[in-house]
Amino acid sequence: MLFSSVTFLYFFLTAVLLLYFLTPRKFKNAVLLFFSLIFYAYGEPRLVVLMLLSVLSGYVHGLLMGKFKDSPRAKKACLVSSVCFSLAPLLIYKYTDFFIGNLNALGASLPLLGLTLPIGISFYTFQIISYTADVYRGDAAPQKNPIDLAAYIALFPQLIAGPIVRYTDVERDLSARTHSVEKIGEGALRFSIGLGKKVLIANVLGELSAALLTAEGSILGAWVRAAALMLQIYFDFSGYSDMAIGLGTMLGFRFPENFNYPFISQSATEFWRRWHMTLGSWFRDYVYIPLGGSRVSAGKHIRNIFIVWFLTGFWHGASWNFILWGLFFGLLLLAEKFLLKGFFEKLPRILRHVYLLLAAAVSFLLFDAPDLAAAAERILSLFGGAPLVSGEGLYQLRSYLAVLLIAAVGATPLPKRLAEKLAATPAGEKAMPILAPLFMAALIIVSTAYLVDGSFNPFLYFRF
């Protein structure tokens, strides 16, 4: 079920909120779990069992680690067992055909399994691992209530495409969260902004990207498509995160932020401090630091960075273009850290910013391509092999120029800062209680009109 669908907006979400706020406090997690399972089963009912088995594994291993808290060896064995049980479904469903395909390329003749990828499996697997790892390290107490743990892992706002919410982020909220009209209003506004990002910007930029992909080739068209694709992915994913965070706020949870205007960055290092922040921090705390982080020899430090970025790419998808996408950023980070540090810091800010935007544009062409051959073709098209301009390319640019400009400005902190400055004035302070609901209502109404008139519009990160 899509957040950006009439079914979710006007039927599912309405039912959730009505029943949730009518239910006594001690049963609210059970209500959330019930609706979360319905939400997940809406698209693939058979695979709900797989998710519940993963939840059960995390629950049992957490209790066992609590039981063996005075036996480091047994406790560590429980952690290893939990990680293996959690990763097994992910490896089987997501990566088996990738490995078989590569073996076949080397001469084997093995049949592909063709398994359906469970939606959101990469996200809920990482949440279960973070829970058991935090219990192992003593950062969290084992959850004794299976409904509370299942509600955390299956919580529908962030189940499908994050943000990756660690157990320690919401441990207190699971048992002692508060609700208020102010939180509901804050969450509803955040949700509507995310809905607008997805429906009014990301989907429209997706139309432009698709049109330019099939249009008569030109260098200008290739660059416009690269910019449109880059902004589409950002508004699609950050829009989902905004909706998830907004829904969490309405229900009394505080989810971590996932994006912080990544395209204002001036290096790849800064970009990844601002892009998909919950994934970056997950790999930092559960892979990079346990490997030794930067407090090791230079060779091992490079190894640690290489492992993290290989896994970052591989987490996104079972194909070589995702692996190379991750390694591309890994190499940029290594170059910035070890080779270009002194030189890089002396460059004017504008040049560093242009460098980051060019690197991001190239990287997302690699990210989006169906295979390496298509990725190479699309990247090379930026630098020649076609006329500078074409009639169709100019037509598409003129047709979508307004949304491109809105997206470019919206990807910066400028709109938020202007709204904050307005709210800080005496007139703005009086007007905001009226303007905010009107803005929210306008976003929902216009987005609904687009949804009714449009076609299927899945979030790009659903495939991960």
Side-chain angles (χ1 to χ4, degrees), residues 213 222 225 229 365 368-370 373-383:
L213 190 60
R225 182 180 182 273
L229 177 65
L365 288 174
D368 179 67
E377 180 182 349
R378 295 174 188 181
I379 292 171
L380 290 174
S381 69
L382 298 173
F383 306 102

Side-chain angles (χ1 to χ4, degrees), residues 14 110 366 441:
T14 301
L110 302 173
L366 176 61

Side-chain angles (χ1 to χ4, degrees), residues 123 158 161-166 169-170 186-187 190-191 193-194 197 234 237-249 253-262 272-282 284 416 420:
F123 289 91
Q158 47 77 56
I164 299 173
V165 179
R166 303 187 198 182
D169 293 331
V170 296
E186 178 190 344
R190 184 70 180 268
F191 177 88
I193 290 172
K197 280 184 173 182
Y234 167 70
F237 193 16
S238 70
Y240 184 97
S241 295
D242 285 340
M243 284 189 269
I245 292 168
L247 288 170
T249 303
F253 294 92
R254 285 292 179 186
F255 294 161
E257 294 293 337
N258 214 18
F259 290 89
N260 184 24
Y261 305 105
W272 275 97
R273 293 195 189 110
R274 295 174 176 272
W275 178 277
H276 205 344
M277 296 187 292
T278 58
L279 179 67
S281 64
W282 195 98
R284 179 195 66 209
K416 183 179 180 180
E420 289 173 346

Side-chain angles (χ1 to χ4, degrees), residues 327-369:
L327 293 178
F328 173 78
F329 274 109
L331 289 173
L332 290 180
L333 267 67
L334 285 171
E336 292 172 6
K337 186 178 292 289
F338 292 105
L339 299 178
L340 303 174
K341 187 174 182 180
F343 168 78
F344 203 71
E345 292 172 350
K346 295 177 182 178
L347 289 176
R349 293 170 60 91
I350 185 65
L351 291 182
R352 283 181 282 167
H353 184 59
V354 169
Y355 146 78
L356 182 276
L357 291 178
L358 290 174
V362 169
S363 75
F364 284 115
L365 288 174
L366 176 61
F367 181 91
D368 179 67

Side-chain angles (χ1 to χ4, degrees), residues 189 422-423 426-442:
L189 179 60
L422 175 62
E429 188 176 357
K430 293 179 180 179
M432 275 300 174
I434 299 172
L435 293 178
L438 289 176
F439 178 65
M440 178 177 66

Side-chain angles (χ1 to χ4, degrees), residues 95-417:
Y95 297 107
T96 300
D97 278 357
F98 171 77
F99 292 121
I100 292 175
N102 281 279
L103 288 173
N104 289 343
L106 295 174
S109 299
L110 302 173
L112 297 177
L113 300 185
L115 297 174
T116 301
L117 177 66
I119 295 175
I121 189 171
S122 299
F123 289 91
Y124 72 69
T125 296
F126 272 28
Q127 291 192 179
I128 294 171
I129 291 175
S130 73
Y131 163 70
T132 53
D134 286 345
V135 171
Y136 171 78
R137 298 191 301 199
D139 296 334
Q143 175 56 257
K144 296 181 180 179
N145 187 325
I147 291 178
D148 287 356
L149 183 65
Y152 150 66
I153 295 168
L155 197 59
F156 75 88
Q158 47 77 56
L159 171 65
I160 304 299
I164 299 173
V165 179
R166 303 187 198 182
Y167 180 73
T168 51
D169 293 331
V170 296
E171 182 177 12
R172 183 179 179 279
D173 290 340
L174 283 169
S175 57
R177 61 188 178 274
T178 59
H179 307 87
S180 66
V181 174
E182 289 76 14
K183 281 187 176 182
I184 295 173
E186 178 190 344
L189 179 60
R190 184 70 180 268
F191 177 88
S192 66
I193 290 172
L195 180 66
K197 280 184 173 182
K198 165 60 178 171
V199 177
L200 305 180
I201 299 180
N203 285 359
V204 178
L205 289 174
E207 295 172 2
L208 172 59
S209 178
L212 287 171
L213 190 60
T214 58
E216 180 184 355
S218 70
I219 294 174
L220 175 64
W223 280 102
V224 172
R225 182 180 182 273
L229 177 65
M230 185 167 62
L231 290 167
Q232 178 200 358
I233 293 172
Y234 167 70
F235 279 97
D236 188 281
F237 193 16
S238 70
Y240 184 97
S241 295
D242 285 340
M243 284 189 269
I245 292 168
L247 288 170
T249 303
M250 294 168 71
L251 297 170
F253 294 92
R254 285 292 179 186
F255 294 161
E257 294 293 337
N258 214 18
F259 290 89
N260 184 24
Y261 305 105
F263 293 127
I264 68 171
S265 303
Q266 298 176 46
S267 67
T269 304
E270 183 185 0
F271 179 84
W272 275 97
R273 293 195 189 110
R274 295 174 176 272
W275 178 277
H276 205 344
M277 296 187 292
T278 58
L279 179 67
S281 64
W282 195 98
F283 274 115
R284 179 195 66 209
D285 293 343
Y286 298 107
V287 178
Y288 181 69
I289 291 176
L291 286 172
S294 60
R295 298 182 178 182
V296 290
S297 65
K300 289 184 177 180
H301 188 194
I302 292 171
R303 177 207 64 186
N304 295 345
I305 292 174
F306 176 85
I307 290 173
V308 165
W309 288 99
F310 174 88
L311 292 175
T312 299
F314 206 32
W315 177 88
H316 279 84
S319 67
W320 284 106
N321 64 306
F322 288 115
I323 293 172
L324 291 179
W325 176 76
L327 293 178
F328 173 78
F329 274 109
L331 289 173
L332 290 180
L333 267 67
L334 285 171
E336 292 172 6
K337 186 178 292 289
F338 292 105
L339 299 178
L340 303 174
K341 187 174 182 180
F343 168 78
F344 203 71
E345 292 172 350
K346 295 177 182 178
L347 289 176
R349 293 170 60 91
I350 185 65
L351 291 182
R352 283 181 282 167
H353 184 59
V354 169
Y355 146 78
L356 182 276
L357 291 178
L358 290 174
V362 169
S363 75
F364 284 115
L365 288 174
L366 176 61
F367 181 91
D368 179 67
D371 52 53
L372 292 180
E377 180 182 349
R378 295 174 188 181
I379 292 171
L380 290 174
S381 69
L382 298 173
F383 306 102
L388 181 62
V389 297
S390 67
E392 188 171 357
L394 286 172
Y395 169 78
Q396 296 293 350
L397 176 58
R398 286 194 297 267
S399 300
Y400 288 90
L401 184 59
V403 73
L404 278 170
L405 292 175
I406 292 171
V409 174
T412 73
L414 181 60
K416 183 179 180 180
R417 288 174 182 171

